[in-house]
Amino acid sequence: MIDHAHDLACVRDATERLLTAVAALDNASLAEPSRLPGWSRGHVLAHLARNADALVNVLQGRPMYPGAEARDADIERDAPRPLDIHLADLRESGARFLAAGDAPADWTRTVELRNGVTDSASRVPFRRWVEVELHHVDLGVGYELEDLPDEFTEREIDFLAQRFSGHSGIPATRVTDGTHAWRTGRTADETEVTVSGPPAELVGWLAGRRDGATLEVRGGTLPKLPPL
């Protein structure tokens, strides 16, 4: 059962780690490329701030974004800002999200995200946790997939395995870190491919942050995953 209050606390902790890391940067480093193609570090920070507000919209029953063009335009507008403005925006938008999460609500209700995707309201705090943790890694400032909390890594592998489950373009795949195992890909009675490796490498592959070259693959080649 999803514990949204626990996940909100995890979002709070992850946000503090992010803010501490960003505070050590300077204006010039924000203009440097992030690990996301075509995005500077400023783009990543702008996205994180606007995502917090977008998830407030979701929790309060409004459209997540006015539209894809408006979302992209907001990120482009905010990316070049100086460090102090980025920090204030990250802190304030993060606080707005946590306040929305702390408000009394029916956490069993269904909410709508982007592109018609729906989910339980109770999973929205975890989705925000994903944004903060993975984009912290994307900044390329010394926080790596291996630094992610163990609980987060295990849950994100499970979340992404579910996301790709039933996808006809992915073979029936067993994913394992040697302790836990997940199924993903198309539905089949028998596993076609088994992918094994350390949790950080598995989440990197599933989340499109690493190419999976270090993973062990049995029964075929490493499945090609669609973009998130």
Side-chain angles (χ1 to χ4, degrees), residues 140-154:
V141 293
Y143 190 70
E144 304 296 342
L145 294 172
E146 287 78 7
D147 299 316
L148 297 170
D150 291 344
E151 178 198 350
F152 172 83
T153 300
E154 182 179 339

Side-chain angles (χ1 to χ4, degrees), residues 21-33:
V22 173
L25 303 177
D26 56 29
N27 290 334
S29 62
L30 292 187
E32 294 173 351

Side-chain angles (χ1 to χ4, degrees), residues 168-200:
S168 61
I170 302 172
T173 303
R174 180 177 185 265
V175 177
T176 179
D177 62 4
T179 301
H180 308 92
W182 302 266
R183 295 287 299 272
T184 195
R186 58 177 168 255
T187 303
D189 293 335
E190 300 291 335
T191 297
E192 300 172 53
V193 177
T194 297
V195 178
S196 308

Side-chain angles (χ1 to χ4, degrees), residues 103-118:
D106 174 13
W107 287 95
T108 67
R109 73 192 187 280
T110 298
V111 295
E112 184 171 345
L113 295 109
R114 292 180 66 198
N115 303 320
V117 173
T118 60

Side-chain angles (χ1 to χ4, degrees), residues 208-226:
R209 265 63 181 185
R210 292 185 182 170
D211 62 10
T214 65
L215 297 173
E216 179 184 349
V217 184
R218 298 192 304 275
T221 59
L222 185 69
K224 183 176 181 179
L225 304 175

Side-chain angles (χ1 to χ4, degrees), residues 18-210:
L18 174 71
L19 288 168
T20 297
V22 173
L25 303 177
D26 56 29
N27 290 334
S29 62
L30 292 187
E32 294 173 351
S34 73
R35 291 174 173 173
L36 294 178
W39 272 15
S40 68
R41 291 190 178 110
H43 283 88
V44 175
L45 299 182
H47 164 64
L48 276 168
R50 300 289 68 78
N51 172 264
D53 287 336
L55 290 176
V56 170
N57 289 337
V58 169
L59 290 176
Q60 296 179 349
R62 298 186 294 273
M64 186 170 180
Y65 293 102
E69 290 184 359
R71 170 186 176 273
D72 295 344
D74 286 348
I75 293 170
E76 291 295 333
R77 178 198 66 208
D78 293 344
R81 299 176 303 177
L83 176 62
D84 59 337
I85 303 300
H86 273 296
L87 274 171
D89 194 14
L90 282 170
R91 187 177 293 109
E92 292 164 8
S93 60
R96 288 191 291 271
F97 173 76
L98 291 171
D102 285 337
D106 174 13
W107 287 95
T108 67
R109 73 192 187 280
T110 298
V111 295
E112 184 171 345
L113 295 109
R114 292 180 66 198
N115 303 320
V117 173
T118 60
D119 203 350
S120 168
S122 63
R123 203 192 294 266
V124 171
F126 179 72
R127 286 179 175 271
R128 177 60 183 173
W129 190 13
V130 171
E131 293 286 327
V132 175
E133 293 286 15
L134 291 186
H135 286 316
H136 190 167
V137 173
D138 293 335
L139 289 173
V141 293
Y143 190 70
E144 304 296 342
L145 294 172
E146 287 78 7
D147 299 316
L148 297 170
D150 291 344
E151 178 198 350
F152 172 83
T153 300
E154 182 179 339
R155 289 179 60 189
E156 176 66 347
I157 293 171
D158 181 72
F159 179 76
L160 291 172
Q162 290 183 41
R163 179 166 182 164
F164 296 129
S165 182
H167 195 292
S168 61
I170 302 172
T173 303
R174 180 177 185 265
V175 177
T176 179
D177 62 4
T179 301
H180 308 92
W182 302 266
R183 295 287 299 272
T184 195
R186 58 177 168 255
T187 303
D189 293 335
E190 300 291 335
T191 297
E192 300 172 53
V193 177
T194 297
V195 178
S196 308
E201 292 293 339
L202 291 173
V203 79
W205 168 60
L206 289 164
R209 265 63 181 185
R210 292 185 182 170

